[in-house]
Amino acid sequence: MKKRKGIQMALSLLLLCSMILSGCGGKDNGSSGQTSSGADSGSQAQNTEKEKPVKLIWYTISGPQKDQDKVMAEVNKYTREKINAEIDLRLIDWGDYSQKMQVIAASGEPFDIAFTSSWAFNYVESARKGYFYELDDLLDKYGQGIKKALNPAFLEGSKVNGHNYAIPTNKELPAQAVWRFNKTLADKYNLDVSKATTLESLEPMLKTVKENEPDVYPIPSNISPYLPFDFALEGIPVGVPIDTKDFKVINVWDTPETKQVFDTMHKYYQAGYLPPDVATKQGNEHEKTGKWLLDKQHTVPFADIQWSDSLGYKVVSTPIHKPIVFNWSVTGSMQAISAKTKHPEKAMEFLNLLNTDEHLRNLINYGLEGVHYKKLSEDTFEPIPDSGYSMPSFTLGNMFLLYKLKDDPKDKWEQYQKFNESATNAPLLGFQFDPTNVMTEIANVKNAVDEYGPALNTGSVDPAKVLPQAIEKLKAQGIDKIIAECQKQLDEWKAQNNK
Amino acid sequence: MDNSIAAGQPVNKPSKKPKKARNFHQLPPFWNAVVNLAVGLFSFACVYPFLFVVIISLTDEKALALNGYSLFPKKWSFEAYSYIFRTGDQLLRSYGVTIFITLVGTLLTVAIVSLYAYAISRSYFKFRGIFSFIAFFTMLFGGGLVPSYIVVSQVLHLKDTIWALILPMSVSAFSILIMRTFFKTMVPDAIIESGKIDGAGEFRVFISLVLPISLPGLATIGLFAALGYWNDWFNALLYIDDAKLVPLQSLLMKIETNIQFILQNSAIGSGTDRSAIARSLPAETTRMAMVVLATLPIIFAYPFFQRYFVQGLTIGSVKE
């Protein structure tokens, strides 16, 4: 390898001369390599090189792992045996992932599998741009295991234009916002946290704590209070009420519900329940100091236990609403296959194995037994601290196959299953807004939201004065055009899906 | 710098005849004090943020969480530094990578730029127009991110090699134009002719005659290049997946962007995953300690170049 790099260096000048020509050529190849031709060459390659294992390049999101090579050697031994494939796992750090994958996908650089989601390397956008392979047929042929493992809402909710472009990770399906309480403080003042159902119901608790602990800000940060709407696009206040019947798209800020939330927050802010600089404050020092009473989080089964564990003191939570399946919660973590892959079948076979094979799934997640973790029983383990390998479990694949921690409840995954089944679908589940026609308006509206949003969400400004201004600004930036476009698409979608 | 010059002059003792003794090179004591104060305040404003970072890095983590940032922390601690050196093989490795690319890259840049600039600065070089244009053109029109990525990763196959951090930055059109002007104005044709008369070839003339009198120019672009390499994180972001090749600034950038990312994406999985990721990030004091460790070496590089800067300015103004 080193020698080759040296030669490459020496030749780089020569290559520089040829770069214009080959640069153009490469681009042409890239854009013409559509899905169909990719499939053909894939099957050909399979016929001719049956003995040689297929190499799959897999990009996923995670911090670097020291013992990645060792673990992957073991993984490859296993996958060679099972599906005659080798995995070239490439980890990209959390903050870099979106940007890097955009460039990789746009440049047509070869890869086979990539992590995608609603919050990093945006799934819907990338699928629309044609970066991903359409998986419908592959799922039927090679992905039966995945279909069996997943709650059907996962595959239904992650469709783009009626097709699946990525495999969702089997984990918690719905989203459920909760008020999370610092139990130490709540107990000290005998607060009944189960009464905290609405934003308004928090007032007496906030008041008690503020009066007795003057140096504590009961709401420590911008909690973005819950609004009962299903948003069509992240970051802009366009959507439908969560219990909508007529599917009428509205400006969320221009509703009595929102007004009330902002008013309440303003009242809290004026009463000193939030820090004065909360609109711009970042960081979570309060979690270390314990000087806080409540914030808003999204929960999963046994979240309270895990939160208490990681914070080092007890927290409890009360749900704000019933579990609801949103588009963004379904697409929270997925694996897509590149549109330009030469081995779509192998990639799918691998994803299927990853989502169904307990040994492989745990190997990739926790590393080698005895080196990176100790196995305690059939399905429990104990990590060895600082051993150099520990991947984020929710980004890789079927979580229900993972070994549990010693302290985890025995029925952890059964509870998850129950949680998933208890959920109701949000009205826009499965509807993906195509923003192409209103790109400028969306960018402008986003700017306006960034300008007013934090101040209104935290109550730092008086909504009576500022909210009309903000709505005016949103209108001036073209939010009505977005709403009209969204309504048009939604109506078409409704007609197609008999909603 | 102004400060030192202004302050360095010994103020004359007031003599018996103050009116006559007034030295027009000197400010009156009052204005001298005002200027000193103003420049002093300005320098302090420049140094203050960094001083603050140093102090935070030396603050006890718990004190920081309880009392916030303070110039006089309640409790001092070296924990951040000892933490880095205990677990920081990544930091040391990144140090190595950064030092390597800075050294090699600077040498390479100076070599390429000076050769290129010298060639197009000579009036008897037939194709100087074309080559000037090729360099100049890139300043006006750039291909953008994706094409340059394609060139580096798919044409040159430099991805995940150290050269991906060096080669893309090794030629700067701006430096070439600076050096061309420098060679044009600073190197008299007579010197080159004298070399030719003594039988020297182009290379000999360049190395033995032109380079020695061009040191200020070389030092200037050398400093630009060194700073560029030392501070570069974007190339690493694009081309480096392998943790062994991540340079220092990129490492810092990664930590910062990761923190930003986790703070802003409350929707990542569930809250529990988020706090698990957040816990894997270094604490505030550790981050500050890393900033200190990443900045110190390049601060010490300045004095070595400073000489040439002053010299370059003088030569430029006296000779013409």
Side-chain angles (χ1 to χ4, degrees), chain A residues 413-465:
Chain A
W413 301 129
E414 287 78 13
Q415 290 293 336
Y416 266 75
Q417 203 96 39
K418 248 195 214 157
F419 183 60
N420 288 356
E421 278 154 17
S422 73
T424 49
N425 290 354
L428 298 186
L429 184 69
F431 166 70
Q432 306 286 1
F433 180 37
D434 181 358
T436 334
N437 294 333
V438 283
M439 282 307 232
T440 5
E441 284 81 7
I442 288 178
N444 290 339
V445 168
K446 250 190 190 141
N447 283 337
V449 172
D450 288 344
E451 187 184 336
Y452 289 102
L456 286 169
N457 270 324
T458 54
S460 314
V461 290
D462 183 7
K465 258 189 277 166

Side-chain angles (χ1 to χ4, degrees), chain A residues 87-292:
Chain A
I87 311 300
D88 179 359
L89 178 68
R90 300 184 187 178
L91 304 177
I92 300 178
D93 238 323
W94 300 94
D96 300 343
Y97 191 80
S98 296
Q99 193 174 13
K100 213 160 171 171
M101 284 314 294
Q102 288 289 353
V103 177
I104 287 171
S107 74
E109 190 182 304
F111 68 92
D112 299 292
I113 305 172
F115 172 82
T116 174
S117 71
S118 54
W119 46 272
F121 190 31
N122 191 295
Y123 163 66
V124 178
E125 220 171 85
S126 307
R128 284 230 169 84
K129 281 184 185 156
Y131 296 158
F132 298 151
Y133 201 93
E134 196 198 293
L135 298 180
D136 298 2
D137 296 342
L138 285 180
L139 256 173
D140 286 339
K141 254 193 236 161
Y142 302 96
Q144 284 305 331
I146 294 174
K147 281 192 152 177
K148 230 161 84 190
L150 285 177
N151 186 316
F154 272 117
L155 288 171
E156 190 53 42
S158 61
K159 276 186 178 162
V160 177
N161 301 339
H163 300 290
N164 283 107
Y165 290 91
I167 307 293
T169 296
N170 197 15
K171 55 187 194 81
E172 80 279 2
L173 170 73
Q176 185 178 26
V178 293
W179 297 119
R180 187 175 71 154
F181 288 87
N182 179 355
K183 193 160 187 285
T184 325
L185 272 182
D187 284 353
K188 193 168 165 191
Y189 297 105
N190 273 324
L191 306 178
D192 183 3
V193 297
S194 65
K195 282 199 184 129
T197 45
T198 59
L199 187 60
E200 285 72 24
S201 65
L202 301 171
E203 189 165 14
M205 307 182 196
L206 295 170
K207 197 161 174 234
T208 318
V209 170
K210 188 71 207 172
E211 271 167 8
N212 293 295
E213 310 256 340
D215 68 328
V216 171
Y217 293 107
I219 304 177
S221 60
N222 182 355
I223 55 172
S224 310
Y226 171 72
L227 297 169
F229 296 93
D230 190 4
F231 294 86
L233 211 58
E234 205 163 312
I236 56 170
V238 170
V240 298
I242 204 85
D243 51 0
T244 187
K245 293 273 172 324
D246 56 357
F247 286 86
K248 191 171 176 322
V249 183
I250 48 172
N251 178 351
V252 170
W253 280 10
D254 202 358
T255 57
E257 291 95 332
T258 306
K259 176 94 178 24
Q260 196 196 338
V261 166
F262 287 165
D263 278 339
T264 313
M265 286 311 289
H266 186 53
K267 199 165 74 186
Y268 290 172
Y269 182 80
Q270 278 183 321
Y273 300 157
L274 292 95
D277 60 344
V278 61
T280 51
K281 198 175 162 230
Q282 290 207 324
N284 48 0
E285 267 72 40
H286 59 271
E287 291 190 344
K288 281 183 213 149
T289 58
K291 287 185 173 179
W292 60 286

